[in-house]
Amino acid sequence: MTITLAYVPSPEGDAALRAARDEALRRQADVQIVHVFAAGEREESPYSQEQELDAVQQVLTDAGVRSELRATGAGEDPADTVLAAAREVGAELIVIGLRRRSPVGKLILGSTAQKILLGADCPVQAVKA
């Protein structure tokens, strides 16, 4: 059994990490961490970003949860990447963090969370910071 965690370094991402860890322990499942680097993110701080992702894996390891990291380059659609990764491993759950957005913000920029919620083949657990 595998849980897919859509992770971004933010309070929402940390909340999703905690929820994925708790669900993995409850279900005795592994966690697939999916992170899509934002444009320019690697160039600005390549070491700190990789250290952040290592720390995410360490949180799971310390809890006794096996994990695998899938980090992809900028330019890819985060929602499509998360959905494809979940399908590849046959995830039984996707965990995402939510941040508050205005209706206009959702209309103009779209919503990654909404796309995941509507496109997932399995249940999605959405958590707030």
Side-chain angles (χ1 to χ4, degrees), residues 106-125:
K106 288 182 210 172
L107 179 65
I108 294 172
L109 301 174
S111 170
T112 299
Q114 182 177 7
K115 192 170 182 180
I116 291 171
L117 287 165
L118 295 174
D121 296 332
C122 62
V124 177
Q125 181 179 6

Side-chain angles (χ1 to χ4, degrees), residues 6-10 13 34-54 56 69-76 78:
Y7 181 80
V8 292
S10 67
V34 180
H35 175 73
V36 179
F37 284 94
E41 187 174 14
R42 280 190 167 236
E43 294 80 16
E44 291 173 15
S45 59
Y47 300 109
S48 64
Q49 187 63 40
E50 289 172 9
Q51 290 170 345
E52 174 83 26
L53 295 174
D54 288 344
V56 168
L69 175 63
R70 178 177 175 170
T72 61
E76 296 186 31

Side-chain angles (χ1 to χ4, degrees), residues 1-4 32 83-93 121-122:
M1 290 193 236
T2 303
I3 294 170
T4 295
Q32 174 193 47
L83 292 170
R87 286 185 188 110
E88 283 176 20
V89 297
E92 69 175 53
L93 177 70
D121 296 332
C122 62

